[in-house]
Amino acid sequence: MAYINPRLRNPAEGAAATKATAPAKTDWIGGVCAIIAFGLAAATTAILYMEWDLYTNFIGR
């Protein structure tokens, strides 16, 4: 964050910044999307590993 001289600051911005704000109501959407994306990444990794394991054990001989 950049330094701003106190004489150039807006007092209303300082008052608004000190108030406690609740998290946005759409935060849960991001959490659900993150969980789904992690699950898909884990499933893709598992499928690719199993396919490679099948290839090296049975087909690659």
Side-chain angles (χ1 to χ4, degrees):
M1 179 180 253
Y3 174 76
I4 299 175
N5 194 322
R7 67 183 176 89
L8 300 174
R9 293 183 186 163
N10 182 357
E13 288 179 359
T18 58
K19 291 181 183 177
T21 58
K25 293 183 179 183
T26 57
D27 280 351
W28 67 271
I29 296 173
V32 170
C33 290
I35 291 169
I36 291 171
F38 179 78
L40 287 173
T44 303
T45 303
I47 290 169
L48 287 172
Y49 174 76
M50 287 186 287
E51 185 177 326
W52 174 253
D53 197 32
L54 174 75
Y55 176 73
T56 56
N57 288 336
F58 299 107
I59 302 170
R61 287 185 186 192

